[in-house]
Amino acid sequence: MGSPRRLLLVSNSTLRGGGYLGHCQQAPRAAGRVRRVLFVPYALHDRDAYARRARERFKSLGYGLDSIHESCDPVEAVRKSEAIFVGKFYLLGVLWISPAHSLHCRDKEGGDGIPYVGSSAGTNIATISINTTNDMPIVYPPSLQALGLVPFNINPHYLDPDPKSTHMGETREERILQYHEEPNTPPVLGLREGAMLLVEGDKATLQGVTGARLFMRGKKPTEHEPGTDFSFLLTEAL
Amino acid sequence: MGSPRRLLLVSNSTLRGGGYLGHCQQAPRAAGRVRRVLFVPYALHDRDAYARRARERFKSLGYGLDSIHESCDPVEAVRKSEAIFVGKFYLLGVLWISPAHSLHCRDKEGGDGIPYVGSSAGTNIATISINTTNDMPIVYPPSLQALGLVPFNINPHYLDPDPKSTHMGETREERILQYHEEPNTPPVLGLREGAMLLVEGDKATLQGVTGARLFMRGKKPTEHEPGTDFSFLLTEAL
Ligand SMILES: [Ca+2]
Ligand SMILES: [Ca+2]
């Protein structure tokens, strides 16, 4: 038996005016005794620059950072990692690259609570599926299943309908309700920018400042303040 | 040999204040001598109500409307149809239902220019792939290939970046540029709400009022006024 699960699932890496990861004060708590973080920089084609920015930021928080793209053996890098940080990335399709798959296996086999901090699409892939990402399907994934570190879905960058907008595209709420017209679909937690979910073992708590909107199939969506106990979402049979 | 291709690819069905299909004055021109239109209502679970609304609208334009969901043999309905209208729908996954597949086959076999009017996701599926839809991937499609009635991609509901927004999610332009980081990706025409593309044989013309933004891999995006001749996009080898 390993240590309990420790996850920090963040809506987005940057709040305007707040700097990169400036609002993620809970990251150290999620990370526990970790000294070095493994960074997964597949968001951007210039991975060196992306990793450099992350390395500076983590250094200022007191952590070393290794970027998986610099490793000769990415699968081994995941196996050995103390903690993992995944920011936004080309979500669809990247999920089944071998390091991510290795992370998946490590979680399944070991159950050893590898600390995981996800932001934006990094949050999507920690959930049960990537059905509620905001990305265009620019590449074709072999499946929409995700790592399943929690048994529900999250919609990061959750955006409230803008009553002043003349844009006729579907709102996030409309898309999530369409998702819930499919049978047996899990809850979707709409995490506004500035919100994040801290998961420690069987306890899940809403952090940040902006709150979240929870969608359960067949029920009215509900509004939740920071501090809300979402542990019930960790129970598989909802 | 059949008649030349006749397509009207619309950004969106409703402009605020303009009513359902109110801005699609080119629809009759695309439809030619058609009297009845086959409607594909898979957008909404209440297909009866959706078809009723479309039937009223098409009646006021002088057309009869059959909804494919009322047909005992949807594949046969597509084969016999004079023209097809596809609005928004659960884009991902619905594409390979048999009627859509039948439409695809009819186009490939006959080359007989069945008039096709698409709006929103109905426009996405007329293009070469659905990589540039705005939908969440709420269901898993067997492929991202689309009908290929034109050899490029369209992003309907194209939205310009809002300089006043504090939202940090990627803009449409950013997503399309990410798509173009993939090798061998076709042009993407960003159709603003209120814009549409009329295709007659080898001629493609931008219609409507709001203009379009064209993205070609490796080039700077370009702005285009209504009336622009986009026929060059119909040439496969770009
Ligand atoms: Ca992304
Ligand atoms: Ca849709």
Side-chain angles (χ1 to χ4, degrees):
Chain A
M1 293 292 293
S3 49
R5 131 178 83 181
R6 282 173 293 162
L7 318 171
L8 185 65
L9 304 179
V10 184
S11 177
N12 59 306
S13 305
T14 315
L15 274 190
R16 194 152 284 192
Y20 185 56
L21 294 177
H23 61 301
C24 301
Q25 305 304 328
Q26 301 296 334
R29 183 166 161 199
R33 278 166 320 209
V34 166
R35 310 289 312 182
R36 293 195 76 77
V37 169
L38 182 66
F39 181 58
V40 181
Y42 295 115
L44 305 174
H45 273 235
D46 189 350
R47 289 161 190 173
D48 290 335
Y50 188 28
R52 205 178 309 125
R53 188 172 63 139
R55 183 169 282 127
E56 281 165 20
R57 184 63 189 133
F58 276 83
K59 193 177 168 190
S60 77
L61 294 167
Y63 298 92
L65 182 141
D66 302 301
S67 183
I68 198 169
H69 84 290
E70 295 160 347
S71 169
C72 303
D73 187 345
V75 175
E76 189 60 20
V78 170
R79 274 210 192 99
K80 284 191 178 164
S81 64
E82 293 173 63
I84 292 179
F85 173 66
V86 184
K88 64 177 183 174
F89 55 61
Y90 287 127
L91 181 56
L92 297 159
V94 178
L95 195 43
W96 285 259
I97 54 167
S98 54
H101 188 72
S102 163
L103 166 61
H104 183 59
C105 294
R106 178 168 159 175
D107 177 66
K108 292 287 162 199
E109 289 164 13
D112 63 349
I114 180 173
Y116 179 99
V117 178
S119 166
S120 191
T123 285
N124 282 116
I125 67 163
T127 71
I128 195 163
S129 82
I130 57 173
N131 288 94
T132 54
T133 172
N134 308 308
D135 280 1
M136 281 183 192
I138 59 174
V139 291
Y140 183 67
S143 142
L144 296 180
Q145 270 203 315
L147 299 176
L149 305 181
V150 296
F152 54 92
N153 272 316
I154 288 177
N155 177 235
H157 300 280
Y158 181 78
L159 199 56
D160 294 296
D162 176 359
K164 283 176 298 185
S165 172
T166 58
H167 189 71
M168 300 303 293
E170 281 134 326
T171 66
R172 294 281 162 80
E173 172 152 338
E174 284 168 339
R175 290 190 192 291
I176 295 167
L177 294 177
Q178 286 173 345
Y179 176 56
H180 277 156
E181 290 188 358
E182 301 294 317
N184 304 316
T185 36
V188 179
L189 187 61
L191 278 184
R192 293 192 181 87
E193 296 195 343
M196 63 204 81
L197 190 71
L198 178 65
V199 180
E200 299 169 295
D202 294 332
K203 194 160 168 55
T205 319
L206 185 62
Q207 305 280 349
V209 291
T210 44
R213 192 162 175 83
L214 178 65
F215 300 83
M216 314 265 287
R217 181 174 147 77
K219 297 189 182 165
K220 276 202 150 180
T222 47
E223 272 302 314
H224 299 273
E225 301 278 299
T228 299
D229 185 343
F230 276 126
S231 305
F232 66 97
L233 289 177
L234 299 173
T235 313
E236 306 255 348
L238 271 169
Chain B
M1 294 294 295
S3 48
R5 128 180 86 182
R6 282 174 293 162
L7 318 170
L8 185 67
L9 305 178
V10 184
S11 177
N12 59 304
S13 305
T14 316
L15 274 191
R16 193 152 283 191
Y20 185 55
L21 295 178
H23 60 302
C24 300
Q25 304 305 329
Q26 301 296 332
R29 182 164 162 200
R33 279 165 317 208
V34 166
R35 311 287 314 180
R36 293 195 76 77
V37 169
L38 181 67
F39 181 58
V40 181
Y42 295 115
L44 305 173
H45 272 236
D46 190 349
R47 289 162 190 173
D48 291 334
Y50 189 27
R52 204 178 309 125
R53 187 171 63 137
R55 182 169 283 128
E56 281 165 20
R57 185 63 190 131
F58 275 82
K59 193 178 169 190
S60 78
L61 294 167
Y63 297 92
L65 183 142
D66 301 301
S67 183
I68 197 168
H69 84 290
E70 296 160 347
S71 168
C72 303
D73 186 346
V75 175
E76 188 60 22
V78 170
R79 274 211 191 97
K80 283 191 178 162
S81 64
E82 294 174 61
I84 293 179
F85 173 66
V86 185
K88 64 176 182 175
F89 55 61
Y90 286 127
L91 181 56
L92 297 160
V94 178
L95 194 43
W96 285 260
I97 54 167
S98 55
H101 188 71
S102 162
L103 167 61
H104 182 58
C105 294
R106 178 168 160 176
D107 178 66
K108 291 287 162 198
E109 289 163 15
D112 64 348
I114 181 173
Y116 179 100
V117 178
S119 166
S120 193
T123 285
N124 282 116
I125 68 162
T127 72
I128 195 163
S129 82
I130 57 171
N131 288 93
T132 53
T133 172
N134 309 306
D135 281 1
M136 282 183 191
I138 59 175
V139 291
Y140 183 68
S143 142
L144 296 180
Q145 270 203 315
L147 300 177
L149 305 182
V150 295
F152 54 93
N153 272 315
I154 288 177
N155 178 236
H157 300 280
Y158 181 77
L159 200 56
D160 294 295
D162 176 359
K164 284 175 298 185
S165 171
T166 58
H167 189 71
M168 300 303 293
E170 282 135 326
T171 65
R172 295 282 161 79
E173 171 151 340
E174 284 169 339
R175 290 192 193 291
I176 294 167
L177 294 177
Q178 285 173 344
Y179 176 56
H180 277 156
E181 290 188 357
E182 300 295 316
N184 304 317
T185 37
V188 179
L189 187 61
L191 278 183
R192 293 191 181 87
E193 296 194 341
M196 62 203 81
L197 190 71
L198 178 66
V199 180
E200 299 170 294
D202 293 333
K203 194 161 167 56
T205 318
L206 185 62
Q207 305 279 348
V209 291
T210 44
R213 194 163 174 83
L214 178 65
F215 300 84
M216 314 265 285
R217 181 172 148 77
K219 296 188 181 166
K220 278 204 149 178
T222 47
E223 272 302 315
H224 299 273
E225 302 278 301
T228 298
D229 184 343
F230 276 127
S231 305
F232 66 97
L233 289 177
L234 299 174
T235 313
E236 305 256 350
L238 271 168

